[in-house]
Structures are given as C-alpha cells and as structure tokens.
Amino acid sequence: MEVTASDLDNLKATELRLGLPGIDAPEKPAPVSPRGSKRALLVSNEECWPGKNKSPEADSGGQEAQPMAKAQVVGWPPIRSYRKNSFKARKEEMEAAGLFVKVSMDGAPYLRKIDLKVYQDYKELKEALDNMFRCFSTGELSGMQGCNGSEYAITYEDKDGDWMLVGDVPWEMFMSSCKRLRIMRRSEATGMPSSP
Amino acid sequence: MSEDEEDERGGGEGKRWSPDLIGGREGGSGGADPPPLSDQVLENVLENVLQFLDSRRDRNAASLVCRSWCRAEAQTRRDLFIGNCYAVSPARAVERFRRVRALVLKGKPRFADFSLVPPRWGAGFYPWLAALVPAYPWLERLCLKRMFVSDDDLSLLAKSFPSFRDLTLICCEGFGTAGLAAIAEHCRHLRVLDLIENDVEEEMVDWVSRFSTTSLESLVFDCVGCAVNLDALEALVARSPSLRRLRVNQHISVGHLRRLMARAPQLTHLGTGSFGDGGGGGGEVEVADLRAAFAASMSLECLSGFRDLASEYLPAIYPVCANLTSLNLSFADITAEQLRPVIIRCHNLQTFWVLDTVGDEGLLAVAATCKDLRELRVFPLDASEDSEGSVSDVGLVAISQGCRNLRSILYFCQRMTNAAVATMSENCQELFVFRLCIMGRHRPDHLTREPMDEGFGAIVMNCKKLTRLAVSGLLTDKAFGYIGKYGKLLRTLSVAFAGNSDLALRYVLEGCPKLQKLEIRDSPFGDAGLLSGIHHYYNMRFLWMNSCKLSIRGCKEVARRLPHLVVEVIRDKLEEDDVEAVEKLYMYRSLAGRRDDAPPFVEIL
C-alpha cells in the first residue's frame, strides 16, 4: 500500500506529539513497499535495526517518532485479511454516509447540525463553529488547549454518554465517538475531565 | 484446527526424521516380500494392538521399531496427517498407508495469511485428490488448510467417496458456491461442513437448497460472503435432528436467527449472523423475544458471530452465559461498560476472543470472573502501527492475576512493559502458547525504554510447557539468547523486526532441539545465521524468512549440503539476473524432491 506525499502531510498535521513545538522529526524518504527496489528496502530496514543501545525511536517526549514516515508495511500487523475485510466493509459504509451531529450553544435559541466528515481536524471544526455561532457570542470561541480569555468551551457527548472537552483525543477517534456537541459557558465548564 | 491444541493433548508431529529413513530404506508395505507365516501371525496380533494407538507421535515411534512394526502400523493408521503437502508425494503416502479414513493436509506457509506469499504459489489440492480417489474409496473425513481447492475438485470429491462425512476447509481459496452445491448434493451422509476463514468466490449458486443429508451435525459458513436461501436453511435445520453446530454468515439477521434457533434448540455451538438492526429482511425483533430464544437453547456452550452488533441486543444472551465455555466477541466493537454485564455472567468461560475496544478495563472484568480461562485472544480494531491501542501492559497483568490456568494467549497492543510480561510468566505456569504482538515496530518497554528482551526471557524461563512463541517489540540478540537457552520445548517461533545479528538466529537454531516451524520477517539475519542451522533443518517442518539479509550464495550452500531440503527462493516479480539478495526464502524437508508445479517466480535451488 503506497502512501502519497500529500497523505503524509495530512498525517503530520494531525499528529499529536508531546515534543516541544518547533521540533520536527527529520524528513526521511518513505520506505518503498516490498514490491519496489530491494536495495531501498534493505537500506530503510537498516535504519530500523538498532545496533546500538539507544533506540532511534525513543525521545524524551515519550512519543514514538518513527525514523520514517508512517507508511504501511505489507502484512504488518499480522492480521488475516478475513478479519481486516470484515471491518473495512463496515468502515466504508460509515465513510460514505455523512456524520451529522447536533450542535447546541448555551443561550442560543436554536441548534445547528454539522457534518463532521467535512472537517479535517480540530482547527477547521473550530473555525466552522466560530462562524456558525458568531452572532451569539461576544468573542472567539475556543475549547481547545491553550484557550485564553474566551467565554465558551466546546464540549461533546461521546459514545458512553459522557461529556468531554473537545481536543484531547486524535481527530479520527473524536469523529467516531462524538454524538453531539455543546458549546458551554466557560464558568460551567470548569472541572471537566479529559478523555481517558 | 491448530497443532498447538493437539500438542496440549499430547498429539504430535509428523514423521521424525533420521538419516536411516531417508533414501528409500524406509519400510512400509511397498515392494517388500511377504513375511513367513509366524511373522504374519505376529503382525496380525500387532495390528490388533496398534489399532488402539491414536496419537500420531506414538504411531510414528511404533513404526520405527522394525519393518514388521512399520507394516503393521501402516495397515492400522486411520488418520493421516500431512503437515506440508510438499513433504511427501501423494503416491508415496497412499502406497504406505492403505487404510486411511481421515486426512489432514496443509499447504501454504502461515505467512501467506499476511499477503507475503504471491498468488499461484502452489498447494493445489488436485494432485492429492487424484491419488486419494483410487486409493481410499472409503474415505470419510478431510481437512484442508491453506490449500487451493477448485469447484471441480469439490465436485470430484463429492462424487468419489460414498462414505464421505466430514469436510473442513480452513483458509483455503479457489472454490465458490458451485463447489459447495456439489458437496451438498452428492454427499448423502454428510455430517460436517465447516468453512473457516476461506476466500469463497461469490457465484450466486443456491447451495443450501441442495443438501441431501439428514445426518448433518455441523454447518459453519460465516466466511461465505453471499446471501443464502433462508427458507432452505430453515428447512435444512428443521430436518437435521443431529445438528449441534451452526455458524451463519452476516446476511442472517436476528429475526432469521430466532427462527433458526427455534428449529434447533439442541445446538451446542452457535455463530450468529448480524446481531443488530442493520440486517434487514427478518423484521424488527424485540430484545425480549431474542432473549427467549436463547433461554430455550440451554445446551449452548459456544457463541460467536456478533457482526454489526447493536449493543442493546447483547443482553439477549444472558440466559446462556453461565453455560458458555467459549465466547467470541472479536467482531463486536464494544466498550468495557458493554462487556461487563455479559462477562460477569460467564464464570465457566475457557475460551474468549475479544476486540481491544474493551480496553484494559474490560480485561480487568474478564480477569475478575473467568477464573478457568484457558485461551484468550485480544484483536485490534484498528490494525495499523500508529493506531491508538486501547489495551496495554495493565490488561495483561490483570489477566495473569485472574486467570492462572491460562494456556494460550494472543495479544495485540501498542504499549507493553517487561515487568508485565514477566508477571504473566510467573502467574501463568500452564502457558503453552504465548503470542504478543506490539504493533508498532521496534517498540521498547514504554516505561523503561529498554528492549523487551527481559520480558520474553522471563516467558521462556518460567513457562516450562511453552511450545509456541511469537515475539515483537524492540528486541536484541539477548532475547534470542534466552530463547535458545530456555526454550527447550519450543516448536513454533515467529519473529518480526527483531534482533541485531546472525548470533540471534544461531542461538535459536542451536538451542531449541524441538523447533519445527520457524518464521522470520524483516530481521537482520544473513547467511551465517542460516548456515548455523544445517544440523537441524531435517528435523523441522519448514523455515520461512523474508526481508532479511540472505544472499543466493548462502541459500545455495544450504541446498548443496542438504539434498532432501527443498529450498525455494520466491520473487515478487521476475528480477534481473544480477540480484544477489534473497527477499523470500521458504525451505522444507521433503521426500518428494523439487516440486513440478512451481510457478516462474519460484526458484528451487
């Protein structure tokens, strides 16, 4: 399964890392699939094999940063295609349909509905919500990390029925577990647990 | 059907090889002069005794005593197990064993399941079928694993053996519903038709209406992708009083399931189809009605299926939970909260397969209730390297503390620690099978950042019954040193993205005398490592290595020194001739020599 350059860019953009901002994993060429040149595969494998004590993956942030981009390797993890296909079919069904969730805002007289599939990441979602509910709020909405001074927090109800603060989990995970959104007044939002 | 389960019961490996057996000195009934009368009597007596031997390991040992014993044993062997269809020619097998009623035949190497063996590599069933038809007219049972079986093969099979009873196909391909129709129609005494994880062509033939048997005991078809004739299925179930096992595919809705269950309250094994609202056609079913159906099926011991699960239907199975010894929820995307009320009722569970969506919390619940758990498999919902991963070392430790009787574990995760693995090795002394898959390649212990050497070392050291091991995570040669030193009963070893040098391979090949099956991928082992196993390869069923550091020179050297080893170099596409590196190596002992059905991308050295 080949991974294109633009896929890699998107992946990078949504990647949540604990490293300091500004530090970037060194750009290395993506490993070609085993169908490609053997020499290239051997070379890229070379980098994977730690002949030394210190693993190239370990960094102080605790997040595994693979030396290469996250391209798929044939047959890894070792799951039979029977199993993979069972889930793929369902996933594809879900992906075809939209993922519409209701959005409510404290103090607003009516709700809105948005299709989460339309957005690539939290940034886009936030902007869309900003635009949608601008007329009801005095300033910028912000429910994400590093919010300062905003009156509101963006929260969502997940599959288990719990209300969570938006922005903690990877985007895909959020998309699959979000049932509805609620823009809460910040005063009510204090003491919210983050996702497990 | 896995040889690990057999090993547990004291089954065994195929022929034990020694230089004496190779080269035709092997006895058997082929071509020998008839023995004198007194010996004949002795042989008859022997046959009467040997017929009680079931275990193939015992039979193999008996056959080595002398020629007479070899003949007698050959005459009384009813169950023939061929672990590698290329290890012996069909002609030779039927020549030696004249009275076989049941045959197990395995084809492709296991890594074929993960797309590492190109299509059309081999393992066709036809050459064997052609030999079986004249040789075993009374053949009753057949089990094929990872073989290529065509519709024509199935048709010929169905028409050639009037006593045929049991057909089990596991991970096979090449056939479709037309072949199934032939089996259904012509096997009048069919008892078992078990189709497990096969790749079935969707030919839209209504095979279910064609069944002519009234003695059906087991019907497993969850891997058949197309819809079946529901009325015909219901009628079949209704006229099969011996039916004990039924596993349907996802086109059967809960409504249909309820009707089927009403027809067969004596079922012991049930695989549901779709267990949700999606399934259409059967109409809406109230949970209470479904629950009543389960309440009427108190013989149920084994449940599986649960595709497209709607969690509100899960409570319907409560009435049978206490009787369950086996539960497979590995296609159901459920949380710990959804699992808890189910698992808490399953205190007799011995086998449990589940998705990692239940998380460590879910596993804690399992550990709290399932005190007699023998086999656990935790599969990932998202089988990719950078997936979130919801189970970890925490879940593993919990299981080890609660389930002391654990014999077999397969665990997919993203985070693991040496301490957790060591804890399991200390708590679960009954482990035969330990397969840990840390999905991110080269992942170290996530707390100490050290390689996973010590954890796996503890496993081989403490789990004295261990016969099968799969390793993962960041591993140095040290881990293999432990395996070689302590893994004295190890028969199957799977290695991926591990080790530093040839030493690792040497440790294993020199240290593990019982090693039968070794499969390695993406590890830095080269010719030197390969050559260190020359003394042992005749004792093994096979060695598979891909994406390592092998060269054609090393492989040729092995082929030269071990003439009864078939050394296959597999190329994904036809290469230029100057390529030294060997990408895929598959080698196996064989009495049949190089096979004549090798495709162009396979070079046999």
Side-chain angles (χ1 to χ4, degrees), chain A residues 35 38 41 45-46 48-50 64 70 73-80 82-83 86 90 160 173, chain B residues 113-114 146 197 222 307-308 330 383 386 388 439 441-443 449 474 496 500 521-522 573 583:
Chain A
R35 264 176 244 285
K38 281 194 189 130
L41 182 63
N45 277 344
E46 202 79 61
C48 265
W49 296 321
E64 255 73 44
K70 300 183 190 207
V73 174
V74 172
W76 186 263
I79 299 284
R80 287 187 184 150
Y82 176 72
R83 176 167 288 278
S86 302
R90 220 164 15 118
D160 303 327
M173 189 189 256
Chain B
D113 292 350
F114 315 125
R146 293 196 192 95
E197 297 196 24
D222 48 289
R307 309 286 178 121
D308 308 323
S330 67
D386 42 5
E388 198 41 38
M439 293 191 279
R441 290 171 282 162
H442 310 291
R443 285 255 170 95
R449 318 308 285 153
L474 181 66
N500 304 127
R521 64 168 296 172
D522 293 281
K573 59 176 191 257
E583 180 62 15

Side-chain angles (χ1 to χ4, degrees), chain A residues 11 31 34-38 41-42 45-46 48-59 62-64 66 68-84 86-87 90-91 93 159-160 170 173, chain B residues 113-116 146 171 197 222-223 307-308 330-331 333 335 337 353 355 379-381 383-386 388 412 437-439 441-444 449 474 496-497 500 521-524 547-549 571-573 575 579 581 583:
Chain A
L11 210 55
R35 264 176 244 285
S37 151
K38 281 194 189 130
L41 182 63
L42 288 173
N45 277 344
E46 202 79 61
C48 265
W49 296 321
K52 18 201 184 302
N53 290 333
K54 194 170 128 195
S55 156
E57 280 76 33
D59 64 61
Q63 174 77 6
E64 255 73 44
Q66 296 284 349
M68 15 235 118
K70 300 183 190 207
Q72 300 286 351
V73 174
V74 172
W76 186 263
I79 299 284
R80 287 187 184 150
S81 53
Y82 176 72
R83 176 167 288 278
K84 276 193 190 158
S86 302
F87 291 112
R90 220 164 15 118
K91 202 167 152 211
E93 275 171 43
K159 273 193 297 202
D160 303 327
M173 189 189 256
Chain B
D113 292 350
F114 315 125
S115 313
L116 289 171
R146 293 196 192 95
C171 298
E197 297 196 24
D222 48 289
C223 63
R307 309 286 178 121
D308 308 323
S330 67
F331 290 97
D333 180 353
T335 63
E337 280 66 46
W353 292 20
L355 275 185
F379 292 97
L381 175 65
S384 62
E385 277 192 78
D386 42 5
E388 198 41 38
F412 284 85
C437 181
I438 303 171
M439 293 191 279
R441 290 171 282 162
H442 310 291
R443 285 255 170 95
R449 318 308 285 153
L474 181 66
F497 305 99
N500 304 127
R521 64 168 296 172
D522 293 281
S523 300
S547 312
C548 298
K549 283 172 139 181
R571 303 194 155 88
D572 276 323
K573 59 176 191 257
E575 296 285 345
V579 174
E583 180 62 15

Side-chain angles (χ1 to χ4, degrees), chain B residues 27 188 248 278 328 361 376 420 456 458 467 472 560 574 589 591:
Chain B
R188 300 192 163 279
V248 301
N328 181 353
E361 241 191 280
L376 175 68
F456 285 104
T467 57
S472 60
R560 189 185 68 78
L574 294 174
R589 62 185 178 185
L591 289 171

Side-chain angles (χ1 to χ4, degrees), chain B residues 107-301:
Chain B
K108 288 188 261 188
R110 197 180 73 96
F111 272 12
D113 292 350
F114 315 125
S115 313
L116 289 171
V117 175
R120 306 274 177 274
W121 170 82
F125 179 48
Y126 182 71
W128 279 88
L129 184 58
L132 294 175
V133 169
Y136 301 141
W138 308 117
L139 189 70
E140 294 174 356
R141 291 176 284 142
L142 185 64
C143 174
L144 303 178
K145 189 168 184 181
R146 293 196 192 95
M147 304 240 6
F148 186 93
V149 186
S150 69
D151 283 337
D152 287 340
D153 293 340
L154 289 178
S155 185
L156 180 58
L157 174 71
K159 293 174 185 164
S160 307
F161 304 107
S163 314
F164 196 73
R165 291 176 21 177
D166 298 3
L167 179 63
T168 304
L169 300 175
I170 307 172
C171 298
C172 295
E173 54 170 352
F175 67 96
T177 46
L180 297 179
I183 294 284
E185 187 174 330
H186 299 287
C187 298
R188 300 192 163 279
H189 305 286
L190 195 68
R191 297 198 197 188
V192 171
L193 180 59
D194 285 354
L195 307 168
I196 300 167
E197 297 196 24
N198 301 290
D199 193 358
V200 182
E201 310 283 343
E202 299 186 18
E203 291 151 353
M204 311 310 288
V205 171
D206 180 7
W207 57 284
V208 175
S209 331
R210 309 272 272 272
F211 276 93
S212 56
T213 175
T214 51
S215 349
L216 201 63
E217 292 173 13
S218 174
L219 180 62
V220 173
F221 66 92
D222 48 289
C223 63
V224 177
C226 47
V228 297
N229 181 333
L230 292 157
D231 292 330
L233 181 61
E234 204 178 322
L236 174 65
V237 170
R239 67 170 189 275
S240 303
S242 310
L243 193 68
R244 292 284 176 277
R245 294 202 310 252
L246 180 65
R247 294 195 174 128
V248 301
N249 68 14
Q250 74 269 26
H251 293 281
I252 307 289
S253 68
V254 280
H256 301 138
L257 185 72
R258 201 164 61 97
R259 276 162 47 192
L260 292 169
M261 287 174 75
R263 297 285 192 176
Q266 75 282 10
L267 285 179
T268 56
H269 295 60
L270 177 66
T272 73
S274 141
F275 214 64
D277 304 315
E284 290 293 316
V285 171
E286 292 292 330
V287 179
D289 291 336
L290 191 59
R291 187 177 176 139
F294 277 94
S297 305
M298 291 310 280
S299 310
L300 282 176
E301 353 175 301

Side-chain angles (χ1 to χ4, degrees), chain A residues 23-151:
Chain A
I23 290 178
D24 219 346
E27 281 300 316
K28 293 220 171 109
V32 294
S33 80
R35 264 176 244 285
S37 151
K38 281 194 189 130
R39 297 208 113 255
L41 182 63
L42 288 173
V43 164
S44 62
N45 277 344
E46 202 79 61
E47 295 175 279
C48 265
W49 296 321
K52 18 201 184 302
N53 290 333
K54 194 170 128 195
S55 156
E57 280 76 33
D59 64 61
S60 50
Q63 174 77 6
E64 255 73 44
Q66 296 284 349
M68 15 235 118
K70 300 183 190 207
Q72 300 286 351
V73 174
V74 172
W76 186 263
I79 299 284
R80 287 187 184 150
S81 53
Y82 176 72
R83 176 167 288 278
K84 276 193 190 158
N85 292 342
S86 302
F87 291 112
K88 201 172 72 160
R90 220 164 15 118
K91 202 167 152 211
E92 277 164 6
E93 275 171 43
M94 278 175 50
E95 274 164 9
L99 204 63
F100 283 91
V101 296
K102 288 183 191 171
V103 187
S104 63
M105 174 164 166
D106 291 356
Y110 52 80
L111 280 61
R112 301 295 300 268
K113 209 152 196 195
I114 58 170
D115 180 1
L116 289 180
K117 294 248 167 74
V118 162
Y119 311 107
Q120 304 297 326
D121 55 24
Y122 287 119
K123 188 158 164 293
E124 284 184 23
L125 173 67
K126 200 196 89 164
E127 278 167 5
L129 291 175
D130 267 347
N131 286 331
M132 243 185 228
F133 289 94
R134 188 176 301 277
C135 47
F136 300 120
S137 75
T138 50
E140 219 185 74
L141 300 175
S142 175
M144 322 286 175
Q145 313 163 304
C147 60
N148 24 0
S150 162
E151 212 183 304

